[in-house]
Amino acid sequence: MSLLVGVLSLVLSWDRLGQVLYAVCAGLAVVVAVWTVRLLVRHAWYTHRLSCFSKPPVDSWLKGHLGKMKSTEEGLLEVDELVKTFKHSCSWFIGPFYHLVRVFHPDYVKPLLMAHANITVKDELIYDHLRPWLGDLLISNGEVWSRKRRLLTPAFHFDILKNYVNMFNTSTNTMHDKWRRLVADGTTTIEMFDHVTLMTLDSLLKCAFSYNSNCQESTSEYVSAIVQLSDLIIDRRQNLLHHWDWIYWKTKQGKQFKEALSVVHRFTRDVVQRRRALISQQRETETKAPRRKKDFVDIILLSKDEDGHGLTDEEIQAEANTFMFAGHDTTASAICWTLYNLARHPDYQEKCRQEVTDLMEGRDGQNIDWDDLANLTFTTMCIRESLRLHSPVQAVTRKYTQDVALPGNRTVPQGTICLVSIYGTHHNPTVWTNPYDFEPQRFDPTNTDRSSHAFIPFSGPRNCIGQKFALAELRVVVALTLLRFRLAPGENPELGSRSGGIRRLPQLVLRAEGGLWLQLEPLPTPTMDTPQAK
């Protein structure tokens, strides 16, 4: 014991402790110096390789464009200026950490979105912050992405989508019943996002999970958590220190993120577990009763690839979370902005209404059928023009494992983050005449002159797997809404004329600051006994 005490005394003496601390500090200083040198060398290398792209002015060679990406109305206006100035692309860097190429012209977008999945990876600037929430479907790459895509594609077959149309009708009817009650009580101006987001969530749960949530008639903790997660992710992007997990999870925002995340994951987990139990029960009784048609969650639970392997429990949870978010929030944004654009253009609104009225003439009910969707030609043109003008998602990003050639002898070096600006491409005056005007005629089916990548609301070939689902729901909701209500621009009743008009809010999906308010006027319900106006 005395020997041990003596050794400890020697080691812990002030002289020895000082030597240990000196060695530790010297080691840390060397590590920091090496890391800094490597970072600056990498920064210089990317700066040289990206010199073939024009670059907006910067205040500092080191900070670059740090702080200049804004998720506000002003940020979108700055993108407009970038597009007007640089026409097709520019380089951009955020400190010495992130080097980007921003593209906003179809000729430059196409090579990036058409690149083979084997060389395409999701970047850490945008997608890593989504990983705790959405797992790997939205962020998977190469063969992993291809395998999951093959497993999930059957969930969006036309035969399954046809069955969903009835549920779109049902959820829309519930929302419209709420609107009629509000109007009857004297509330004629309604904030669209509050109502439509609940409606699309209700619809998604019925379609994909065969789950009646009644969320339109009660407060939804899940929707509140989704909005909070979206806000927190945008805030995290703006703070470079928060890009490191070991810092972020110790902050107040990181703890708020985890709390909201637990709400979202618990909700999705409960829905999936409920479906597991039902599938098990149906297996026991399938000889006694006919099986119902599979929905999305059935497919992710039961599908197997060519090797006989299905999705793991972790993958199933990730796919459910991804589809829950992407399947209702983006669609809600698209519906809200479509109704807003039609409210601002009463002539187009009336033309759409007449198209729907003619379609429904002589019917006993007011439901939109699957076969009706192809006959909503002008309404679909208006929806597509709204998707151009107010795309739910403003940009997508990619990285590549090898150099990618672009027009004009420009090359995107391996490892560079490519930001494909959907907003910039859709508002590029070299691509679209009067790009800020709402002109549905651009999408007349006879118009075949447009570049294949001029209109990319679903981000190209590796596009949103649920786009057929979203477009079908859009047409049903818009058609039924115009059949039953006349829309006009409204004002936030708390602000009135002080609101200063609509200010766009580009978060994970495009929203509006202070909400998107429309004035509703209920229309007489057509019946078989009431002649339809021609």
Side-chain angles (χ1 to χ4, degrees), residues 226-243:
I226 289 284
V227 172
Q228 186 178 18
L229 286 175
S230 300
D231 292 341
L232 288 169
I233 287 173
I234 295 299
D235 290 342
R236 186 179 183 184
R237 288 179 188 171
Q238 308 298 329
N239 189 330
L240 273 183
L241 289 177
H242 288 181
H243 286 209

Side-chain angles (χ1 to χ4, degrees), residues 96 110 118 124 148 194 218 231 302 431 435 521 530:
K110 185 174 181 178
N118 288 338
E124 66 279 7
K148 291 180 180 179
D194 285 347
S218 58
D231 292 341
L302 300 174
V431 178
E521 177 190 343
T530 302

Side-chain angles (χ1 to χ4, degrees), residues 258-505:
K258 284 187 174 181
E259 290 175 4
L261 194 62
S262 67
V263 172
V264 169
H265 283 180
R266 183 172 62 250
F267 184 91
T268 311
R269 185 171 56 251
D270 290 347
V271 170
V272 172
Q273 288 176 350
R274 192 177 290 110
R275 172 59 61 236
R276 277 189 189 277
L278 182 58
I279 290 175
S280 177
Q281 180 183 356
Q282 286 178 335
R283 281 174 173 166
E284 296 174 2
T285 61
E286 62 183 359
T287 58
K288 302 176 184 178
R291 288 181 59 89
R292 62 174 179 78
K293 292 184 179 293
K294 292 180 181 179
D295 57 21
F296 172 81
V297 76
D298 288 331
I299 289 172
I300 66 174
L301 287 170
L302 300 174
S303 293
K304 298 183 183 300
D305 59 22
E306 53 272 18
D307 297 323
H309 300 301
L311 296 170
T312 66
D313 286 348
E314 182 179 358
E315 289 173 329
I316 288 169
Q317 182 72 23
E319 311 321 329
N321 279 317
T322 300
F323 192 57
M324 286 287 288
F325 165 68
H328 91 276
D329 218 22
T330 54
T331 308
S333 175
I335 291 169
C336 289
W337 287 107
T338 299
L339 297 179
Y340 165 77
N341 283 310
L342 290 173
R344 291 178 60 243
H345 297 87
D347 50 341
Y348 293 140
Q349 180 184 159
E350 191 56 43
K351 188 171 180 179
C352 290
R353 181 176 294 110
Q354 191 61 56
E355 181 177 64
V356 181
T357 303
D358 291 345
L359 187 66
M360 305 297 287
E361 185 174 7
R363 293 192 186 178
D364 196 17
Q366 282 197 0
N367 280 357
I368 300 293
D369 299 327
W370 172 261
D371 293 335
D372 293 331
L373 301 183
N375 296 318
L376 294 170
T377 306
F378 188 74
T379 302
T380 302
M381 289 164 56
C382 289
I383 289 171
R384 292 185 181 279
E385 174 65 349
S386 187
L387 285 170
R388 182 196 68 81
L389 200 59
H390 294 97
S391 297
V393 177
Q394 302 303 293
V396 293
T397 54
R398 299 286 188 272
K399 284 205 310 187
Y400 300 92
T401 58
Q402 63 186 49
D403 291 358
V404 178
L406 294 183
N409 293 320
R410 294 176 177 85
T411 300
V412 175
Q414 169 188 342
T416 304
I417 297 173
C418 296
L419 188 149
V420 176
S421 176
I422 297 174
Y423 174 88
T425 304
H426 286 180
H427 293 79
N428 193 327
T430 66
V431 178
W432 303 92
T433 305
N434 304 319
Y436 307 108
D437 295 341
F438 184 76
E439 298 179 357
Q441 294 82 1
R442 303 179 203 270
F443 292 94
D444 189 304
T446 62
N447 180 7
T448 59
D449 296 334
R450 185 174 62 249
S451 166
S452 61
H453 286 72
F455 180 61
I456 48 172
F458 300 104
S459 74
R462 287 188 67 175
N463 53 24
C464 168
I465 191 172
Q467 67 169 289
K468 295 192 292 288
F469 177 97
L471 285 172
E473 185 171 14
L474 267 161
R475 283 178 282 184
V476 171
V477 177
V478 171
L480 289 178
T481 300
L482 297 181
L483 187 66
R484 297 165 181 168
F485 296 91
R486 181 170 285 108
L487 309 174
E491 293 179 343
N492 186 332
E494 296 181 1
L495 298 177
S497 59
R498 292 182 293 121
S499 63
I502 296 296
R503 285 175 53 84
R504 297 162 295 177
L505 186 62

Side-chain angles (χ1 to χ4, degrees), residues 188-201:
T188 59
T189 302
I190 294 175
E191 202 287 303
M192 287 291 110
F193 273 98
D194 285 347
H195 291 263
V196 175
T197 301
L198 287 175
M199 185 275 297
T200 56
L201 176 61

Side-chain angles (χ1 to χ4, degrees), residues 105-116 400 404-407 453:
H105 189 282
D107 294 346
Y108 287 72
V109 169
K110 185 174 181 178
L112 297 176
L113 294 186
M114 292 291 288
H116 197 280
Y400 300 92
V404 178
L406 294 183
H453 286 72

